[in-house]
Amino acid sequence: MRSLTWKLAGALLLVVIVSVGLTAFLVSQSTIQEFQQYLSPCDTTYLEVIENNLIKYYSQGRGWNGVQATLNSQVISRNDRLVLTDSSGTIIGDTANNWLGKHIKEIGLDSPIPITVSGKTAGNLYLVYYGHIDQRGSMMTPGCMSSTVVLNVAEENFLNRVNNYLWVIGFIAVAVALFLGVLLTRQITLPVRALTKGAQQIAKGKLAYRVKTRSKDELGELAQSFNSMASSLDKMEQSRRRMTADIAHELRTPLTVIEGTVDAMLDGVFKPDKEHLSAIKEQTAQLTRLINDLRDISLAESGQMKLELSPSNMVDLVHRKLTQAKVRAFEKGIQLSLKAPEQLPEVTVDAARIEQVIANLLSNAIRHTPSGGSITVSLQTITNAPSHQVEKPSLLLSVADTGEGIPHEHLPYIFDRFYRVESSRSKNNGETGLGLAIVKQMVEAHGGKAWAESEPGKGSAFYIALPLTTG
């Protein structure tokens, strides 16, 4: 049995069969016991009545003389036999008239009911219950207290009908349980089968496949989680393909320049002088930067980047990077400035990684700010920024430029790897196209957030929020 439907239905059916069978057995036994107790001549009330009548008879002063007629009048069932002895054990009354005058020890009856008058035992009463006489004509062993009630044909037929009804009800319950079991288990197994089919489609590479969800229970949530997983895999696969294509493109350009220059030297077109060798060195340096940037992004995304955290003064870090960027800014006629309060708390960061973040932001701003423009770096503390998912006290660093700005439809994607807003923002000045992606990954590795705001034609502002406390 491999089908989950039949396994669940079988398990439910087995539980029902055991439950119904056990219930039917207990009800049957209880019915028989109660019915027998109801019919039994050993009923306490029945015996008490006989005992009281005999005590009354003896107390009237006649002793046991003529007790046989009174004893015969007490019998209410043809299966009953009453035996009465005096205080010495001699049988003085027998409704069957077979044991009169004999001693009780000769008969072997036990479990007497003492007849006590004025604190003295005047005699003993024995109740013998006869069962059905079988083909050999034998009778039940005497002794009421230890005997089992044997029923007549009508009484047995009544109990048989009760038992038959119990079995019929049991079979009906089993049939209903089987039907409902199959119906209910299908409600469980159909979504499971759909998920199985979905997993098979995903394994075949069909990442666009989605499971249809109809229920809102745990299986429905599982199907929604499966679809979310498939959607994420689809996006990751598309991103991987784009990244592969972008990497191939980024590698092709410097390799083409290197190959062309070397071929020209070999063919005698170019001389192996300093100018052409420098061009080859610049292209190899660009390849090195690309490989290093890809490595950093990969480590950050996989959570394997090791951060050497220590309390750092952000003003000092920004001053150092501004000093390094002044040469490029001066060449383009761009003014650099820093705005920061006198007292800023230290932030626990990996200083080298955060310097890389600042350098990438400054490089991006210089590249997209025209001559005569300005770049302003600002530092301040904030308690939170709910719109950007910053929920704890943080140090906010912003780099604002007066460049061409970024269209609003491109803002959500500018931190993606190799994303190009337009041709004017494409690879330039040896950039790898990974600067902002590295900014985002480095900042998030510190538990912070990075985002951008821009107004086309007026400039852009890039923000990073670093938590002031770790954890």
Side-chain angles (χ1 to χ4, degrees), residues 14 26 35 73 77 81 84 102 134 164-165 188 210 223 231 244 256 261 265 269 288 345 398:
L14 180 61
L26 294 177
F35 190 65
S73 66
S77 172
R81 183 178 181 179
L84 179 66
K102 294 182 179 181
D134 60 20
N164 290 337
Y165 290 148
I188 298 175
R210 298 293 182 269
S231 178
T244 302
T256 300
T261 303
M265 289 181 180
V269 178
T288 301
S398 65

Side-chain angles (χ1 to χ4, degrees), residues 199-443:
Q200 293 172 346
Q201 296 297 319
I202 295 296
K204 293 178 181 178
K206 299 179 180 179
L207 301 180
Y209 185 86
R210 298 293 182 269
V211 176
K212 295 181 180 179
T213 58
R214 298 178 181 177
S215 61
K216 296 182 180 180
D217 54 11
E218 289 80 358
L219 289 174
E221 293 178 359
L222 178 60
Q224 292 178 357
S225 298
F226 178 90
N227 289 338
S228 298
M229 178 199 69
S231 178
S232 297
L233 289 175
D234 192 17
K235 291 179 180 179
M236 290 174 62
E237 177 62 16
Q238 293 179 8
S239 176
R240 184 191 65 82
R241 292 178 180 177
R242 288 195 299 267
M243 184 184 70
T244 302
D246 288 337
I247 291 175
H249 173 75
E250 296 295 331
L251 291 175
R252 186 181 298 113
T253 300
L255 288 175
T256 300
V257 173
I258 293 173
E259 182 181 15
T261 303
V262 172
D263 287 342
M265 289 181 180
L266 292 175
D267 294 339
V269 178
F270 292 156
K271 294 181 179 181
D273 52 17
K274 181 178 181 180
E275 177 184 358
H276 294 98
L277 290 175
S278 296
I280 294 176
K281 183 178 180 181
E282 289 177 1
Q283 297 302 319
T284 56
Q286 183 175 343
L287 287 175
T288 301
R289 284 194 297 273
L290 176 62
I291 293 172
N292 290 335
D293 288 347
L294 288 172
R295 180 201 61 193
D296 291 340
I297 289 179
S298 177
L299 289 174
E301 288 182 343
S302 63
Q304 296 179 356
M305 177 178 290
K306 295 182 179 180
L307 300 177
E308 297 180 1
L309 301 176
S310 62
S312 302
N313 188 314
M314 284 294 293
V315 176
D316 292 342
L317 298 183
V318 172
H319 268 302
R320 187 155 51 244
K321 303 316 293 183
L322 283 175
T323 300
Q324 296 174 3
K326 279 183 178 179
V327 176
R328 289 184 58 194
F330 179 78
E331 291 175 351
K332 290 189 66 175
I334 299 172
Q335 181 180 356
L336 296 179
S337 61
L338 171 63
K339 293 182 179 180
E342 295 182 359
Q343 297 294 331
L344 273 179
E346 291 186 332
V347 60
T348 302
V349 295
D350 185 325
R353 297 296 185 183
I354 295 303
E355 284 190 9
Q356 185 179 1
V357 167
I358 299 171
N360 287 355
L361 291 176
L362 289 173
S363 176
N364 180 75
I366 293 173
R367 188 165 64 252
H368 300 293
T369 300
S371 178
S374 64
I375 298 174
T376 303
V377 181
S378 301
L379 289 169
Q380 61 178 311
T381 57
I382 59 173
T383 56
N384 59 59
S387 59
H388 299 290
Q389 298 181 344
V390 179
E391 301 175 352
K392 59 179 68 175
S394 303
L395 189 145
L396 182 66
L397 180 147
S398 65
V399 178
D401 62 57
T402 57
E404 69 268 25
I406 304 171
H408 294 296
E409 64 271 17
H410 293 286
L411 278 177
Y413 311 105
I414 59 172
F415 289 101
D416 292 350
R417 291 169 293 192
F418 300 112
Y419 186 79
R420 308 295 188 194
V421 175
E422 55 187 38
S423 58
S424 64
R425 298 179 70 90
S426 62
K427 176 167 57 85
N428 190 15
N429 294 329
E431 295 298 328
T432 63
L434 295 171
L436 294 180
I438 291 176
V439 168
K440 180 176 182 293
Q441 294 297 333
M442 295 294 182
V443 172

Side-chain angles (χ1 to χ4, degrees), residues 46-60 64 70 73-74 115:
Y46 174 65
L47 294 174
E48 287 179 353
V49 171
I50 298 175
E51 181 183 1
N52 292 333
N53 289 338
L54 291 176
I55 292 174
K56 182 178 180 181
Y57 181 88
Y58 188 88
S59 300
Q60 290 176 351
W64 293 122
T70 301
S73 66
Q74 304 300 311
I115 306 300

